[in-house]
């Protein structure tokens, strides 16, 4: 029995739509209720948000295309200025109305867009039904002119036409709302896919040469390994296609059948652990990964492909590490002699304290205040360094890394009076 029902749309289209958007029937049903019938006025603006790969763009594109609703779909990252965005919407409107484009569209302001929009939707087809303008990656609108986002939210009111603007974003509406206030859109959330949803979606893409149960067992193993570190449907689909040949290898060789899940798991387990090192990184291509699986090598054996072989720190972070190292191992009384050009006359003496006869590297790093770190930084950097937020953010990052490196080493922090000390091992770890 179909889950999607609506009297304004054919049952065959709704059944086909339900098969194309598995595990999103609830969201599609809500959208159909909001859209209503073709000729009815819908909400002026709809805001849909959710994490990456939660199906926002795919569901809306599939819904509008399957039901053949007039729509304009624009990615705000591709059209990153207000002029490019407005002109692209008008160009797609001309194709929706069936009018032949005789001259390029020029639209510099929102007032021009409203005027040209009324002309573009003057055809009888667009007047009789709702037109949907979908703006994907809508968070880019915040970087445009201040009137662009409020104008889109009130486009139905400004043009007096049956139009609905749909904003798709990965961030919440509270980060969009202007300080001067604007029309509040209808807000809708797309939750992440659960492991059961991912199992169902990925199992639908089984190759024709294998059974559905065999591929579903493989997907179950794959999700058991990667679900805790990766929820991205696109990435999981790529990993499933990349490692399936290795999973089928014992069956192809005749060493096991499709129900010997224990043998199949032992065969695929080491290769899935290797694949864990390249999740999201795309350090190697699919063909190179398959060649590594055949040779039994490690991903890092391909020269120039490992992202961990060389780490380039920010410019000032390098000098901050050097300054922190110098402040940790040199006494305070030596700063004047090391970092000032005119430090005065140095008096030679053979007197040394007992603990100074031991190498400072054996005694370990000493704590130092922030003012001393910045003073050494200013003296070793050639150009003039302003104490900006960028400098302090890099200091915070280095201190955070140092604190994380101390976890499990029984290091005692002196509460709010804690002073940072950078060791040589920490600098070598950062460099690696």
């Amino acid at each position: 029995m179909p889950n999607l029902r609506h009297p304004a749309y054919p049952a065959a289209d709704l059944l086909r739509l339900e098969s194309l958007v598995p595990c999103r029937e609830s969201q599609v049903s809500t959208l159909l209720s909001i859209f209503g019938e073709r000729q009815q006025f819908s909400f002026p603006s709809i805001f849909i948000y959710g994490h990456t790969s939660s199906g926002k763009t795919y569901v809306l594109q599939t819904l509008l295309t399957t039901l053949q609703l007039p729509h304009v779909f624009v990615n705000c990252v591709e059209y990153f200025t207000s002029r490019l965005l407005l002109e692209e919407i008008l160009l797609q409107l001309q194709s929706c109305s069936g009018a032949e484009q005789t001259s390029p569209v020029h639209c510099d302001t929102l007032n021009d867009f409203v005027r040209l929009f009324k002309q573009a939707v003057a055809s009888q087809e667009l007047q009789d039904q709702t037109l949907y303008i979908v703006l994907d990656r809508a968070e880019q609108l915040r970087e445009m002119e201040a009137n662009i986002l409020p104008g889109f939210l009130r486009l139905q009111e400004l043009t007096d036409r049956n139009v609905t603007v749909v904003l798709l974003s990965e961030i919440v509406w509270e980060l969009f709302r202007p300080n001067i206030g604007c029309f509040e859109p209808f807000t809708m959330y797309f939750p992440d896919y659960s492991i059961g949803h991912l199992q169902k979606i990925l199992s639908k893409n089984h190759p024709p040469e294998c059974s559905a149960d065999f591929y579903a067992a493989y997907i179950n193993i794959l999700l058991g390994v990667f679900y805790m570190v990766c929820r991205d449907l696109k990435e999981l689909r790529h990993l499933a296609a990349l490692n399936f040949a290795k999973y089928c290898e014992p069956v192809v060789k005749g060493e096991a059948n499709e129900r010997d899940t224990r043998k199949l798991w032992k065969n695929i387990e080491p290769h899935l652990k290797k694949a864990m090192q390249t999740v999201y990184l795309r350090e190697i291509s699919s063909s190179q990964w398959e060649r590594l699986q055949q040779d039994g090598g490690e991903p890092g054996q391909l020269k120039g492909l490992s992202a961990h072989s060389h780490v380039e720190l920010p410019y000032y972070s390098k000098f901050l590490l050097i300054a922190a190292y110098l402040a940790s191992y040199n006494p305070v009384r030596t700063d004047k002699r090391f970092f000032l050009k005119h430090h005065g006359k140095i008096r030679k003496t053979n007197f040394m304290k007992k603990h100074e006869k031991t190498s400072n590297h054996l005694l370990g790093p000493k704590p130092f205040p922030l003012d001393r770190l910045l003073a050494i930084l200013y003296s070793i950097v050639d150009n003039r360094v302003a104490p900006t937020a960028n400098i302090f953010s890099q200091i915070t990052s280095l201190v955070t890394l140092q604190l994380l490196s101390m976890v499990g080493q029984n290091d005692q922090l002196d509460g709010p009076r804690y002073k940072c000390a950078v060791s040589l091992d920490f600098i070598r770890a950062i460099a690696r």
Side-chain angles (χ1 to χ4, degrees):
M1 185 175 181
N3 296 322
L4 298 179
R5 298 178 183 178
H6 200 283
Y9 305 103
D13 292 343
L14 294 177
L15 188 62
R16 180 169 176 268
L17 177 62
E18 184 176 348
S19 64
L20 292 175
V21 287
C23 307
R24 281 291 179 253
E25 294 84 359
S26 175
Q27 286 73 24
V28 173
S29 179
T30 303
L31 288 173
L32 289 176
S33 301
I34 296 172
F35 289 171
E37 298 184 5
R38 294 177 180 270
Q39 70 277 6
Q40 292 177 339
F41 274 74
S42 180
F43 276 87
S45 54
I46 303 172
F47 182 81
I48 300 176
Y49 69 102
H51 291 156
T52 305
S53 196
S54 58
K56 306 180 297 295
T57 303
Y58 172 75
V59 167
L60 207 58
Q61 276 184 327
T62 307
L63 171 62
L64 296 174
T65 305
T66 304
L67 301 182
Q68 298 180 357
L69 300 175
H71 65 279
V72 171
F73 211 101
V74 182
N75 191 321
C76 296
V77 174
E78 299 179 11
Y79 304 95
F80 50 90
T81 65
S82 59
R83 178 177 179 178
L84 293 175
L85 179 64
L86 298 177
E87 290 180 353
E88 177 62 20
I89 293 175
L90 294 174
L91 286 174
Q92 293 192 29
L93 277 178
Q94 290 182 354
S95 61
C96 288
S97 61
E100 295 183 0
Q101 181 181 353
T102 57
S103 60
V105 179
H106 297 286
C107 182
D108 297 324
T109 64
L110 187 62
N111 289 334
D112 295 338
F113 175 75
V114 172
R115 175 177 54 84
L116 295 173
F117 181 85
K118 291 181 179 180
Q119 298 175 4
V121 298
S123 65
Q124 190 68 23
E125 295 181 359
L126 295 182
Q127 285 183 349
D128 294 341
Q129 51 186 329
T130 306
L131 173 66
Y132 299 93
I133 299 179
V134 184
L135 302 179
D136 196 9
R137 302 295 297 273
E139 58 269 11
Q140 300 297 322
L141 296 176
R142 302 180 302 168
E143 307 297 330
M144 300 181 186
E145 286 81 354
N147 64 335
I148 295 297
L149 178 59
F152 276 120
L153 296 176
R154 290 185 176 270
L155 188 61
Q156 187 179 107
E157 177 184 348
L158 294 174
T159 60
D160 195 22
R161 297 293 187 270
N162 190 1
V163 57
T164 296
V165 177
V166 184
L167 306 177
L168 303 181
S169 179
E170 297 178 5
I171 61 179
V172 296
W173 168 247
E174 284 70 22
L175 299 178
F176 273 80
R177 185 181 290 112
N179 296 329
I180 58 175
C182 64
F183 183 83
E184 294 288 330
F186 178 86
T187 305
M188 184 176 178
Y189 174 63
F190 269 54
D192 291 339
Y193 288 109
S194 65
I195 189 171
H197 292 162
L198 293 174
Q199 170 81 24
K200 181 179 179 180
I201 295 172
L202 294 174
S203 299
K204 290 174 66 71
N205 301 327
H206 68 91
E209 62 271 11
C210 70
S211 63
D213 294 338
F214 177 67
Y215 193 76
Y218 164 68
I219 294 298
N220 190 31
I221 292 175
L222 185 79
L223 291 176
V225 175
F226 288 99
Y227 182 73
M228 295 303 296
V229 297
C230 178
R231 309 289 175 89
D232 194 321
L233 180 60
K234 297 178 181 178
E235 187 72 22
L236 291 171
R237 183 179 284 117
H238 172 76
L239 291 170
L242 202 61
N243 297 281
F244 183 63
K246 196 66 181 180
Y247 181 76
C248 298
E249 193 176 75
V251 179
V252 174
K253 293 181 179 179
E255 299 175 355
N257 55 46
E258 294 185 354
R259 295 188 177 182
D260 291 338
T261 55
R262 184 177 180 84
K263 290 183 179 179
L264 295 174
W265 163 248
K266 285 186 176 181
N267 179 66
I268 194 66
E269 180 185 10
H271 301 278
L272 293 181
K273 289 182 178 179
K274 293 178 185 178
M276 288 277 287
Q277 304 174 16
T278 59
V279 175
Y280 292 115
L281 297 180
R282 290 291 189 273
E283 294 177 329
I284 58 178
S285 65
S286 300
S287 59
Q288 291 171 326
W289 175 254
E290 292 174 357
R291 187 166 63 252
L292 275 178
Q293 287 182 330
Q294 295 174 0
D295 299 339
E298 296 291 336
Q301 291 179 358
L302 293 180
K303 296 182 179 180
L305 293 175
S306 178
H308 308 288
S309 60
H310 179 69
V311 177
E312 186 67 25
L313 293 175
Y315 178 76
Y316 287 115
S317 292
K318 302 175 184 178
F319 291 99
L320 283 170
L321 277 175
I322 296 173
Y325 175 73
L326 294 174
S328 297
Y329 286 99
N330 293 324
V332 180
R333 57 184 174 81
T334 62
D335 290 350
K336 184 178 180 181
R337 180 176 58 181
F338 290 158
F339 305 113
L340 289 181
K341 293 182 179 179
H342 307 287
H343 48 71
K345 187 176 180 180
I346 301 176
R347 186 173 60 179
K348 296 183 178 180
T349 177
N350 294 326
F351 174 75
M352 292 182 66
K353 296 181 181 179
K354 182 177 180 181
H355 70 274
E356 289 182 348
K357 296 181 181 180
T358 308
S359 173
N360 287 332
H361 289 90
L362 296 178
L363 295 175
K366 302 296 189 298
F368 56 87
L370 178 61
D371 294 340
R372 187 181 175 212
L373 171 67
L374 293 176
I376 297 176
L377 173 68
Y378 299 152
S379 62
I380 63 177
V381 177
D382 293 336
N383 53 351
R384 184 179 179 86
V385 183
T388 60
N390 185 26
I391 297 294
F392 287 104
S393 65
Q394 295 184 39
I395 293 176
T396 304
S397 300
L398 293 177
V399 171
T400 304
L401 290 174
Q402 171 70 359
L403 292 175
L404 291 176
S405 67
M406 295 167 61
V407 175
Q409 298 179 7
N410 297 324
D411 292 302
Q412 299 295 325
L413 306 182
D414 189 15
R417 298 177 57 85
Y418 168 71
K419 299 178 180 179
C420 182
V422 176
S423 63
L424 184 60
D425 294 336
F426 173 67
I427 295 178
R428 288 173 178 170
I430 291 293
R432 286 198 295 266

